[in-house]
């Protein structure tokens, strides 16, 4: 079994930054051959690593610290008025956990979401292979949280990892026709409550980038802890 002392890491060559224009980025990957259990994955998460499919990584850019790992201390979380309204608006939804896998129902929702919300991004066009590599592979303690209407219609899925001391919110995709529900926000609010129910102290949200508009939503959750100079600090 691997541990932090024996683990090997590999840095990529420079490539175009996904968050900031006209910037070059470099990524540090955990050796894909390593055996990563929940304990080691949790330790890596505390050091700012993130999972995408079977890859565990963190930014490793020389001279740039723009990507900041963030997490919500769930017992101290204070929802805003807007967040409370969104929670009430979605109180009718039924949520259950399911294995991370490709099904026609899941993929139909994912395809419509990517085509509607991210047609200008590097995830377009979607494919079943992309779905499997990004969302269904690599997780040891992972699940899909299904959000369904009382009639049973699937309208959102939140992909989440279980850590020793929290949940890691990896990705959410949802029905673009249900925009009035603010399902992206509700999925985070629900995972905060789920972490509380599981008596886990944190919900990890990945990276926040100050000058990236798409990342601004993460600062709407208060309080928010940020990993700065190797220490978690409350924003």
């Amino acid at each position: 079994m691997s541990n932090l002392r024996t683990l090997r890491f590999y840095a990529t060559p420079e490539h175009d930054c996904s968050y900031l224009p006209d910037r070059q980025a470099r990524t540090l990957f955990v050796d894909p051959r390593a055996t990563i259990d929940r304990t080691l994955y949790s330790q890596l998460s505390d050091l700012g690593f993130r999972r995408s499919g079977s890859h565990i990584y963190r930014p490793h850019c020389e001279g740039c610290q723009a990507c900041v790992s963030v997490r919500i201390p769930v017992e101290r979380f204070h929802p805003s008025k807007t967040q409370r309204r969104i929670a009430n608006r979605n109180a009718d939804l039924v949520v259950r956990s399911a294995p991370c896998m490709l099904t026609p129902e899941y993929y139909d929702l994912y395809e419509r979401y990517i085509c509607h919300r991210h047609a200008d991004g590097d995830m377009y066009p979607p494919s079943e292979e992309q779905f499997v590599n990004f969302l269904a592979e690599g997780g040891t303690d992972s699940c899909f949280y299904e959000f369904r209407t009382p009639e049973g219609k699937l309208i959102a899925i939140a992909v989440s990892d279980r850590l020793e001391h929290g949940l890691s919110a990896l990705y959410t995709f949802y029905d673009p026709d249900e925009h009035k529900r603010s399902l992206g926000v509700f999925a985070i609010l629900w995972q905060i409550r789920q972490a509380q129910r599981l008596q886990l102290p944190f919900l990890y949200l990945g990276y926040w980038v100050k000058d990236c508009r798409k990342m601004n939503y993460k600062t709407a959750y208060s309080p928010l802890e940020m990993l700065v100079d190797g220490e978690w600090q409350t924003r």
Side-chain angles (χ1 to χ4, degrees):
M1 184 67 64
S2 301
N3 58 58
L4 284 177
R5 290 186 176 182
T6 63
L7 207 55
R8 294 188 177 188
F9 301 89
Y10 299 94
T12 68
E14 287 191 336
H15 52 86
D16 290 341
C17 180
S18 300
Y19 305 120
L20 300 174
D22 304 320
R23 295 279 190 98
Q24 291 292 294
R26 181 172 289 168
T27 306
L28 189 68
F29 282 97
V30 173
D31 185 348
R33 297 166 297 183
T35 300
I36 309 295
D37 62 5
R38 182 190 289 181
T39 297
L40 182 53
Y41 181 30
S42 300
Q43 292 171 339
L44 289 165
S45 296
D46 266 350
L47 294 173
F49 283 82
R50 184 82 168 152
R51 185 175 73 83
S52 176
S54 58
H55 301 292
I56 299 176
Y57 70 95
R58 76 176 183 189
H60 188 62
C61 306
E62 185 175 350
C64 180
Q65 303 293 326
C67 294
V68 180
S69 294
V70 293
R71 68 187 184 185
I72 301 168
V74 299
E75 290 300 330
R76 294 193 286 129
F77 170 67
H78 299 292
S80 66
K81 290 182 179 179
T82 298
Q83 290 165 346
R84 288 196 294 269
R85 285 196 295 268
I86 291 171
N88 291 334
R89 194 180 305 151
N90 290 283
D92 62 321
L93 296 183
V94 178
V95 185
R96 77 174 187 95
S97 63
C100 298
M101 60 188 298
L102 174 67
T103 72
E105 183 184 36
Y106 292 167
Y107 182 72
D108 176 68
L109 182 66
Y110 176 79
E111 182 179 45
R112 290 193 295 116
Y113 174 77
I114 295 296
C115 290
H116 188 271
R117 297 296 300 267
H118 296 289
D120 60 343
D122 55 9
M123 296 178 67
Y124 182 87
S127 68
E128 291 187 357
E129 180 181 12
Q130 177 196 76
F131 180 100
V132 172
N133 291 341
F134 179 36
L135 301 176
E137 288 187 345
T140 55
D141 294 288
S142 309
C143 73
F144 285 175
Y145 286 119
E146 299 179 350
F147 294 75
R148 295 182 181 272
T149 66
E151 297 75 30
K153 180 185 177 183
L154 179 69
I155 61 172
I157 287 180
V159 187
S160 187
D161 281 350
R162 172 76 179 262
L163 306 174
E164 286 192 337
H165 41 258
L167 296 177
S168 180
L170 295 184
Y171 197 70
T172 298
F173 56 98
Y174 50 84
D175 187 340
D177 294 333
E178 296 282 353
H179 57 90
K180 291 183 179 179
R181 285 183 175 270
S182 301
L183 289 166
V185 175
F186 181 64
I188 293 178
L189 295 175
W190 189 89
Q191 288 175 91
I192 291 171
R193 299 305 181 202
Q194 179 69 352
Q196 292 173 339
R197 286 187 286 267
L198 295 172
Q199 298 184 328
L200 298 171
F202 301 108
L203 177 67
Y204 290 76
L205 295 182
Y207 301 114
W208 169 72
V209 181
K210 181 179 179 181
D211 295 325
C212 179
R213 181 182 56 82
K214 292 182 178 180
M215 294 291 186
N216 287 344
Y217 75 91
K218 297 182 182 184
T219 59
Y221 301 89
S222 180
L224 191 67
E225 293 188 358
M226 298 184 171
L227 185 60
V228 179
D229 296 329
E231 295 186 2
W232 289 97
Q233 303 175 15
T234 300
R235 178 181 180 273

